[in-house]
Amino acid sequence: MKPNRKVYVVGGDITTFIGKNHPDFIWKRHPDFGTKENPTLEELTTKAILGACEKTGVKPEQIQRGYIGNFAGELFSNQGHMGAMAVRAHESLRGTPFIRVEGACASGALAVVGAIESLQAGLDIVMATGSEVQTTVSAREGAGYLARASHWETEREIDDFTFPAMFARRAKHYKEAYGATDADIAHVTVKAYSNGNKNPLAHMRTVEMTLENASTPGDRNPQFLKNEDLREHLKVSDCSQVSDGAAALILATEEGLKKIGKTPADCIEVTSYGVATSPLGDVDDFTFMGNTHKAATEAYADGELSAQDIQICEVHDCFAIAEVLMTEALGFAERGKGTDLVKSGATAIDGSIPVNTGGGLIAFGHPVGATGVKQTLEIFRQMKGQCGDYQVPNKPQIGLSANMGGDDRTSVVITYKNLG
Amino acid sequence: MKPNRKVYVVGGDITTFIGKNHPDFIWKRHPDFGTKENPTLEELTTKAILGACEKTGVKPEQIQRGYIGNFAGELFSNQGHMGAMAVRAHESLRGTPFIRVEGACASGALAVVGAIESLQAGLDIVMATGSEVQTTVSAREGAGYLARASHWETEREIDDFTFPAMFARRAKHYKEAYGATDADIAHVTVKAYSNGNKNPLAHMRTVEMTLENASTPGDRNPQFLKNEDLREHLKVSDCSQVSDGAAALILATEEGLKKIGKTPADCIEVTSYGVATSPLGDVDDFTFMGNTHKAATEAYADGELSAQDIQICEVHDCFAIAEVLMTEALGFAERGKGTDLVKSGATAIDGSIPVNTGGGLIAFGHPVGATGVKQTLEIFRQMKGQCGDYQVPNKPQIGLSANMGGDDRTSVVITYKNLG
């Protein structure tokens, strides 16, 4: 799809992503344990919405529509109907249409797509927000909640940790097909932590990761699956984080920019987008992300772009193998060459195609519904030179985000152009 | 909102709505108990999608986008990520973008709005579907699931049956403000069952309801709330049904109609729509549905219509008092006069403004996510003369649907014009 009416990303806000191993996360060994609590889904959502208004100068009453991406609030926080929760953020949002969209871990990007299409329908200033809280239950119980993104009836029983097992399965097939090693794949993890250590909002900003640690299973990096066929193909260090967090951004048309006193040069433009959905429980090739490839093919064609044009990229590294497969599905590497790409340094902050410069889902963190919104904001921030210690050397001009739900079942690929 | 590109409802399909008291519903006293099971969320969704294709002649491969409205599949059926569940319905849907939207009981109409706006963004043939299964747990446990549509933190404890209590509160305030009686409100219930008894798809098609039964609490019609302030203001007969069911429809642009060999005369047109969202836990007037009124005001203005123009109407009668308040919020009756309206017969099938001719949520049933989609299809079916025993005398030319989530927190009002 290509927006008929031009769509501008005006900016927004991201909360700190927190969870286990983040210094601000309250747990039994935290000094504030028993006196303070971690922020709730509503508190995080409110913080992101008000932060986005403050950072963009958009007044809440100027927002004509909102979308909120969230995967499983009714399970983790006993809260559904999150559009009507979101408008609690500010008195001036009373009555403003606010719609929750869900596509598992791609919920955030679906919120962005909802906003883009509302602008096509005639609105001028729309908010896309995403949020998730996952630390209210144990990791094992949470894994059961997240398994609602798989085909429960046929896939839940793969392992107590359903999704880690599904991506261990991808790693297994990939290694068998191409002769890649765990150490090859671990380069994704090392890059993620290295980037996240430079990012003050990152869940893992204080946790260091060496290639040896990321490559070696052991007591501090366990292979935690019960499934015996898959256990050896996944370690804790391969996984993204169980994070709490939220992000919110403002999208506007040219008319909208006038109302809020902005110019296109303050913004980045959404040049194209592709969405694809494939059936749950029916992956036809574990060594390739065919659904993401479909969404990317559409986004490239409609944006008159190719992989070679992309100068900054956010991809969905829910597991290290997922980043490898994403870079192949998006055309940055040939099939089987994704580990070579990351090992070459090309996807590093100073590389030719920087990928997940803020740490990605592995080190920035992965509050599910927030992730796709955060991706768009990360592209914006890099293009506008706002990324501080992890800023890429030259402000990139063309960017891409790829957000994915389930095992490559819902994919949203969006391309962007810097106008500043 | 008014669609810039014209939007046509091409038709669709509704499954039978079933649950307790429906002859096909499998429970311990059903002859097939132990050998057959009730259809699952996925089976119902598939049935509606394939049915909509069959009834409209649209091939699955012609569908460019889908939306699915569902409120709580991750709780009732352990299944989220329902877009990727929906595309399991047919091999040709593989890769077709399919997005789940959620706004509690207004989820279905939000799916219709998503479809309308995708057509504005450039697509030509889009599906809106909705489905819900709620009979997998006890009514009490299900009431806890449905309470995720309230502000859980502050409203859950009103009663084990949170939403029934919230609408008992509205009934209490309404009766106190206007002197209405339980018997006055019960006319809504009697009309609903009378209509539902004529509708082969209705959950309560075989259950009869007299005014005396609907007005009188007792062992067979208990006041089931624990909350002592509210108990006397709600009986079982005031409530909509805990139903399983699904509905799906096709919307298209003029270009889309050409591709599927239809003309505008085969269709009805979406003339305008309004969406409004108000903060959870913050109702400012229990005797008025201010949020629905806001959505309706927008839909009337953008459609250049007034309440007097509406010839067929579907409203969200989750409880009998809700239909009374809806008819007032939509301008069919003055405030405090909604019970007079139903008592006058004006909202009956042969009345001047027929409301919920198929039985509404009270007797047709209320599979939450399906309801908003079903409402649009009911307007279509009445306009096309397809309603059999509950067909209104003249094919109506102008219609309206009002779908609502939570306690008047998300409202979607859509207006339609018959082109045939």
Side-chain angles (χ1 to χ4, degrees), chain A residues 309-346:
Chain A
D309 297 316
I310 307 302
Q311 297 163 9
I312 184 76
C313 185
E314 287 279 315
V315 309
H316 197 88
D317 59 322
C318 46
F319 299 90
I321 185 66
E323 179 166 318
V324 174
L325 293 170
M326 277 258 154
T327 55
E328 297 180 13
L330 296 170
F332 304 143
E334 290 176 27
R335 291 185 63 168
K337 303 289 186 191
T339 51
D340 291 347
L341 185 76
V342 62
K343 286 164 73 177
S344 76

Side-chain angles (χ1 to χ4, degrees), chain B residues 369-385:
Chain B
T371 288
V373 177
K374 179 214 75 174
Q375 287 185 328
T376 296
L377 274 168
E378 284 290 281
I379 302 290
F380 177 88
R381 285 151 46 100
Q382 283 288 5
M383 287 184 167
K384 297 305 178 191

Side-chain angles (χ1 to χ4, degrees), chain B residues 8-12 52-53 56 58 63 125-128 248-252 260:
Chain B
Y8 301 95
V9 179
V10 182
C53 288
T56 58
V58 172
I63 298 169
I125 303 169
V126 178
M127 172 172 274
L249 58 81
I250 301 282
L251 295 111
I260 57 180

